[in-house]
Amino acid sequence: MLIALYADGTDFEYRLLDQDHPENFAELLRHWPFGKFPILLDDGEPLIETTPIIDYLYAHYRGPNDWIPPGEMEQRVRFLDRFFDLYVMNNMSRIVAEALRPEGSKDPYGLKQARKELNTAYDWIEGQLGDPWAVGDLFTLADCAAAPSLFYADWVEPIGEARPQLKAYRAALLAHPAVAHVVDEARPYRHLFPLGAPDRD
Ligand SMILES: N[C@@H](CCC(=O)N[C@@H](CS)C(=O)NCC(=O)O)C(=O)O
């Protein structure tokens, strides 16, 4: 969501979810009891989940980016958005969640499955990507989903040298000004990454 807001130059108020702002977390829970973020409040009305949030921004606060280009490209953009969210982000999250499980509740089988599925996702997407962005010239919703998922996925399960297209795509994403902005903004919290953040990116 932040990538879309920064890339479009859309004005918004950022409300931090940290120990110094318990009221923000309480409000998040009021709107979305799962406590997952981001959510967007527009005139007090909550929009939940990044994909519908970007759909909403595109419909109501359109900026210079064609997040969901109409026509034939829409199907591909939406498919890749689901791919990065469900097969890359979710498996990356399973690996991080395993690190947070208390002793006695570890799930080595689940961890192995998550790593396997992440590698399947890397292998599947290699050769499927456009240049420079997921679907070609346009920076779209699919790239907004790809950036955070590949950013962290590569930390927990390296993409490696065997998927040069995916590796180059991740590097291109991190060099996009809006992505770089989000990455820099999150840098002070990096030490909190449960598996330990590598000394790069
Ligand atoms: N599919 C959701 C993902 C929401 C999500 O899992 N957010 C993560 C951070 S990016 C979160 O809230 N993690 C904290 C938690 O699970 O408690 C989206 O794209 O918005």
XYZ file of all heavy atoms in Angstrom, residues 35-38 49-50 85, ligand 1:
75
model
N -5.774 -7.899 13.407
C -4.598 -7.084 13.754
C -3.568 -7.026 12.644
O -2.425 -6.633 12.874
N -3.967 -7.419 11.444
C -3.013 -7.381 10.308
C -3.049 -5.993 9.675
O -4.095 -5.349 9.611
C -3.415 -8.409 9.249
C -3.482 -9.825 9.778
C -2.248 -10.572 9.473
C -2.377 -12.003 9.941
N -1.121 -12.650 10.149
N -1.920 -5.584 9.209
C -1.826 -4.280 8.572
C -1.189 -4.458 7.192
O -0.563 -5.497 6.941
C -0.999 -3.323 9.450
C 0.343 -3.887 9.854
C 1.453 -3.737 9.040
C 0.489 -4.605 11.045
C 2.690 -4.267 9.391
C 1.733 -5.135 11.407
C 2.824 -4.976 10.584
N -1.344 -3.484 6.303
C -1.929 -2.163 6.542
C -3.450 -2.176 6.407
O -4.028 -3.080 5.800
C -1.334 -1.342 5.393
C -1.262 -2.316 4.255
C -0.907 -3.630 4.897
N -6.746 -5.033 3.454
C -5.972 -5.862 2.513
C -5.441 -4.985 1.375
O -6.163 -4.207 0.756
C -6.783 -7.030 1.940
C -6.993 -8.176 2.918
C -5.805 -9.143 2.958
O -5.205 -9.411 1.919
O -5.478 -9.606 4.059
N -4.174 -5.181 1.100
C -3.485 -4.299 0.160
C -4.119 -4.277 -1.237
O -4.249 -3.207 -1.836
C -2.006 -4.718 0.064
O -1.449 -4.645 1.377
C -1.231 -3.798 -0.838
N 1.418 -12.753 -3.398
C 0.847 -12.722 -2.052
C 0.702 -14.138 -1.475
O 1.089 -14.400 -0.335
C -0.524 -12.043 -2.124
C -0.796 -11.185 -0.910
O 0.166 -10.840 -0.204
O -1.972 -10.874 -0.660
N -2.509 -10.100 2.529
C -2.391 -8.981 3.441
C -1.292 -9.239 4.392
C -1.490 -8.570 5.705
C -0.347 -9.017 6.581
O -0.092 -10.215 6.734
N 0.370 -8.047 7.150
C 1.513 -8.336 7.971
C 2.549 -7.262 7.788
S 2.915 -6.966 6.107
C 1.095 -8.300 9.436
O 0.106 -7.683 9.759
N 1.891 -8.929 10.294
C 1.670 -8.841 11.693
C 0.863 -9.971 12.227
O 0.565 -10.920 11.482
O 0.527 -9.911 13.424
C -2.116 -7.692 2.655
O -1.535 -7.775 1.581
O -2.473 -6.639 3.132
